[in-house]
Amino acid sequence: MKDAPRYDRVLLKISGEALMGDLAYGLDADMVDRIATDVRAVRDLGVEVCLVIGGGNIFRGLSEAARGMERASADYMGMLATVINSLALQNALERQGVQTRVQSAIPMSTVAEPYIRRRAIRHMEKGRVVIFGAGTGNPFFTTDTAAALRASEMGCRALLKGTKVDGVYSADPVTDSDAKRYSKLTYRQVLSEDLNVMDHAAISLARENRIPILVFSIYQPGAFAEVLTGKGRSTMITGED
Ligand code: UDP
């Protein structure tokens, strides 16, 4: 008998870098498959799942080309990179028998549906995993903000941020052995202490819409489901009690 998940609809944000595994940039097929397995496990618990994926893994490879470019144009390249990642994850999920839809904030009707809020909700109600590509569709934003925006629009009960480490630390735990791990934080603390979790726009949106943020390690196989069933390690960010 599996433990009951704490939330019935969630959004998972993963950075593009998570998809590159040990590579310097691009996509690592094994890592993409592993993440798909974790998403399927959560979907199999009966949780409605949607995803926002970053583009850092591809965009970093392009950064030399973007040097000196107008910011808005470079940002559009970044958004297109997220669509590539979305299609890769879609493919990996479908190979595992999970029904999916990609919706892009930048219309490209031959490869993805356009973003239509009510349609996305309907897909999730039918058990499909919806992957939101192209961020918010606007330059000068990040995929973290896109994640908070879509989680708000979809009425998600929680926003999960899969990172390299198992929560939020006071300093980078990779370089600083004194870094302290928080099990709980408030939105206010994250903003005032400028903790490196998500950008301020994303945190503010989550706060306004009272969506808890759970930060956990996407590198830990199975952690996504464990966090949702209350067994895994994560940092939970909420409002004041
Ligand atoms: N981006 C954007 N608007 C958005 C989302 C993303 O302009 O709404 C661009 C921006 O250039 C960003 C890039 O896409 O740097 C990739 O997204 P992000 O850096 O958030 O990806 P991650 O670091 O999570 O892989």
Side-chain angles (χ1 to χ4, degrees):
M1 185 64 187
K2 284 176 178 156
D3 294 292
R6 292 175 167 184
Y7 308 100
D8 53 7
R9 180 181 293 167
V10 300
L11 185 144
L12 171 65
K13 157 76 209 297
I14 23 186
S15 69
E17 262 132 47
L19 301 183
M20 69 189 191
D22 294 329
L23 304 176
Y25 62 86
L27 287 152
D28 175 44
D30 291 339
M31 192 63 190
V32 176
D33 283 345
R34 234 276 344 276
I35 292 174
T37 304
D38 284 5
V39 172
R40 189 189 61 187
V42 168
R43 207 277 325 252
D44 288 350
L45 290 171
V47 180
E48 294 177 13
V49 186
C50 53
L51 305 170
V52 168
I53 308 165
N57 56 321
I58 293 169
F59 196 61
R60 188 192 284 172
L62 293 172
S63 56
E64 190 50 33
R67 202 155 52 92
M69 269 177 70
E70 203 186 351
R71 164 84 192 262
S73 300
D75 280 351
Y76 279 113
M77 289 165 69
M79 284 184 266
L80 295 179
T82 72
V83 178
I84 295 176
N85 286 335
S86 300
L87 295 178
L89 203 61
Q90 172 174 49
N91 207 270
L93 282 163
E94 299 229 325
R95 271 187 277 124
Q96 297 195 25
V98 179
Q99 284 206 28
T100 65
R101 292 291 186 273
V102 174
Q103 290 202 346
S104 173
I106 297 175
M108 45 180 100
S109 57
T110 45
V111 292
E113 290 182 0
Y115 172 64
I116 299 172
R117 179 179 152 268
R118 292 173 62 108
R119 197 167 180 186
I121 291 174
R122 193 77 193 107
H123 287 320
M124 280 194 286
E125 286 170 352
K126 288 182 176 168
R128 297 174 185 144
V129 171
V130 181
I131 307 170
F132 297 112
T136 63
N138 301 292
F140 307 104
F141 286 92
T142 64
T143 48
D144 279 351
T145 307
L149 174 65
R150 296 293 184 241
S152 305
E153 290 185 276
M154 294 299 121
C156 290
R157 309 288 187 176
L159 164 50
L160 284 96
K161 164 127 178 164
T163 63
K164 285 186 187 138
V165 289
D166 58 356
V168 182
Y169 285 78
S170 55
D172 184 350
V174 180
T175 53
D176 186 345
S177 56
D178 290 334
K180 176 173 157 273
R181 182 177 168 279
Y182 300 100
S183 59
K184 273 185 143 197
L185 283 167
T186 63
Y187 304 114
R188 190 198 299 265
Q189 275 176 301
V190 174
L191 293 172
S192 64
E193 292 172 32
D194 213 9
L195 294 170
N196 191 13
V197 187
M198 290 181 132
D199 55 71
H200 285 206
I203 302 284
S204 302
L205 254 177
R207 171 156 90 169
E208 241 167 69
N209 295 293
R210 296 192 176 79
I211 301 175
I213 302 171
L214 289 117
V215 182
F216 72 102
S217 170
I218 194 75
Y219 289 85
Q220 176 79 41
F224 183 25
E226 283 169 10
V227 166
L228 286 178
T229 51
K231 287 183 297 189
R233 274 164 75 86
S234 66
T235 297
M236 186 183 227
I237 305 164
T238 57
E240 268 99 64
D241 293 328

